[in-house]
Amino acid sequence: MAAQPASPAPVQEPGLRARKKQRTRDALIEAAHRLFLGQGFASTTVDEIASAVDVSQRTFFRYFANKDEVALAVLAEAEDHFIELLRARPAEETPLEALRAAIVGAWRELGTAHRTGPRSVRSALELIRIIEDTPTLLAAHLRRVAEQERVVIRVLAEREGVDPAEDLRPAVLAAAFGAVLRAAHLSWSADQEDTGPAGMITLIDRHLDQLGPALVGRWRP
């Protein structure tokens, strides 16, 4: 008699302890962002963030090493998700098509899952403004961006079956794509009518549409 195929293991729900830890982490992020946006990054202390959630500084440091880390937490999560989406793109897409679809998907999911709070599109973009105006945060963010760029290079090289040590195209495209995204993010203004994912996606599309003409097209009439 043929053996019956094994049933798939049931998906394990996070335990009570894990859910409680996640709620505390989320509350710290939300309190930090609210304080950063309300009174500025430099004026906000770790003690104020912890007090807003009714936890001790010691508890704060179990989750985050410093203020920089809690400020960048949401963007770091979004960047990691973008990489996941990029890895999942169909092989028949060109590298730029895959990058574009992944970043659009990441922003769209951000807007769908988090309409308000620190993970919302508006809050994420407001945080980018704070980062650009805060030298220590900007330095930490740029280090993170450089790390992500190296990951993008590896993913593109794997997708296309090339050696990034010999073929410069993954590095060139990753650098250009990152620069276009930063320009799109910085072009957003807080008084825009559409601050949801559609508004940001439109900005990204407009900037990416100009990548080819900017590189190879004639600019003068």
Side-chain angles (χ1 to χ4, degrees):
M1 183 176 178
Q4 294 296 320
S7 300
V11 177
Q12 294 291 325
E13 292 291 332
L16 178 62
R17 182 179 177 84
R19 293 197 300 272
K20 184 177 179 181
K21 289 177 68 175
Q22 186 62 50
R23 285 196 298 269
T24 300
R25 186 178 189 276
D26 289 346
L28 286 167
I29 292 172
E30 184 167 2
H33 285 206
R34 186 171 61 249
L35 289 166
F36 295 156
L37 292 173
Q39 63 190 39
F41 178 80
S43 300
T44 300
T45 66
V46 167
D47 187 50
E48 287 175 315
I49 298 170
S51 295
V53 184
D54 199 23
V55 299
S56 65
Q57 283 196 34
R58 182 177 178 181
T59 298
F60 173 92
F61 288 119
R62 288 184 189 142
Y63 293 88
F64 304 102
N66 47 45
K67 282 198 307 179
D68 292 6
E69 193 171 300
V70 70
L72 298 175
V74 170
L75 291 184
E77 291 172 6
E79 290 159 2
D80 289 343
H81 186 52
F82 160 71
I83 294 296
E84 292 174 4
L85 293 178
L86 178 59
R87 291 186 190 277
R89 294 308 304 170
E92 59 268 19
E93 291 180 341
T94 67
L96 183 55
E97 286 172 343
L99 286 166
R100 188 170 192 156
I103 194 63
V104 166
W107 276 106
R108 185 170 287 126
E109 289 181 26
L110 181 68
T112 301
H114 305 285
R115 296 186 182 278
T116 60
R119 288 178 172 82
S120 68
V121 170
R122 185 184 185 91
S123 291
L125 291 168
E126 288 173 340
L127 178 58
I128 289 173
R129 292 287 188 189
I130 292 176
I131 290 170
E132 292 289 333
D133 292 337
T134 309
T136 56
L137 266 185
L138 182 58
H141 178 60
L142 291 178
R143 284 195 299 272
R144 169 78 187 183
V145 167
E147 293 169 2
Q148 188 197 39
E149 187 175 298
R150 288 191 286 272
V151 176
V152 170
I153 291 170
R154 290 197 299 272
V155 173
L156 293 178
E158 290 168 4
R159 280 177 52 91
E160 302 304 311
V162 300
D163 181 357
E166 301 291 337
D167 192 323
L168 298 179
R169 287 175 296 179
V172 170
L173 180 56
F177 185 77
V180 170
L181 283 188
R182 184 164 185 255
H185 294 161
L186 293 179
S187 71
W188 178 85
S189 59
D191 58 354
Q192 280 184 223
E193 290 183 9
D194 189 349
T195 57
M200 191 65 245
I201 289 168
T202 297
L203 280 176
I204 291 171
D205 280 338
R206 285 179 56 199
H207 281 73
L208 287 174
D209 285 343
Q210 293 303 311
L211 180 58
L215 293 175
V216 301
R218 292 185 178 276
W219 293 14
R220 290 177 296 203

